């Protein structure tokens, strides 16, 4: 199941359920302070809504943990199996 949360000229956020886990896909097209602010606002809404729906964590895999932490401080879970250049991170909703 995939659901588009945000779709703008600057970035897209898609929420996807994989193996009973929620994953975020954030694709940034145009970078800037206002874009980061908007992504952070969306992230706050996502974490609030997923918490209200009973999800304790939201995951992502990224090649740039620093970017994931800029969006919202996250925890590193570890490397993604079979993809050495990707790291799995998570955000706790509560």
């Amino acid at each position: 199941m995939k659901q588009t949360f945000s779709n703008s000229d600057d970035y897209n956020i898609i929420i996807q359920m994989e193996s009973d886990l929620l994953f975020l896909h954030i694709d940034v097209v145009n970078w800037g302070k206002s874009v980061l602010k908007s992504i952070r606002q969306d992230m706050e809404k996502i974490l609030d809504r997923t918490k209200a729906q009973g999800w304790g964590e939201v995951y992502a895999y990224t090649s740039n943990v620093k970017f994931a932490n800029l969006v919202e401080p996250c925890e590193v879970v570890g490397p993604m199996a079979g993809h050495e250049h990707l790291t799995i991170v998570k955000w706790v909703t509560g």
Side-chain angles (χ1 to χ4, degrees):
M1 172 195 96
K2 283 187 180 182
Q3 175 186 356
T4 300
F5 186 85
S6 294
N7 188 11
S8 72
D9 291 338
D10 297 320
Y11 67 94
N12 301 313
I13 299 177
I14 296 172
I15 301 171
Q16 181 175 3
M17 187 184 304
E18 294 180 26
S19 303
D20 295 327
L21 300 173
L22 285 183
F23 278 85
L24 290 183
H25 302 281
I26 303 172
D27 183 29
V28 178
V29 179
N30 298 308
W31 183 249
K33 287 182 180 181
S34 63
V35 173
L36 177 59
K37 182 178 179 181
S38 185
I39 292 172
R40 284 178 172 166
Q41 291 170 341
D42 283 347
M43 189 65 174
E44 184 177 334
K45 291 175 190 172
I46 289 168
L47 294 177
D48 286 345
R49 288 181 187 177
T50 54
K51 179 182 178 182
Q53 294 172 351
W55 296 94
E57 302 162 335
V58 178
Y59 294 84
Y61 45 90
T62 182
S63 60
N64 190 340
V65 175
K66 183 178 178 181
F67 170 74
N69 271 307
L70 276 175
V71 169
E72 177 75 22
C74 62
E75 297 176 33
V76 172
V77 175
M80 185 171 174
H83 300 277
E84 296 174 6
H85 66 285
L86 295 176
T87 301
I88 299 173
V89 297
K90 73 176 178 179
W91 294 275
V92 177
T93 63

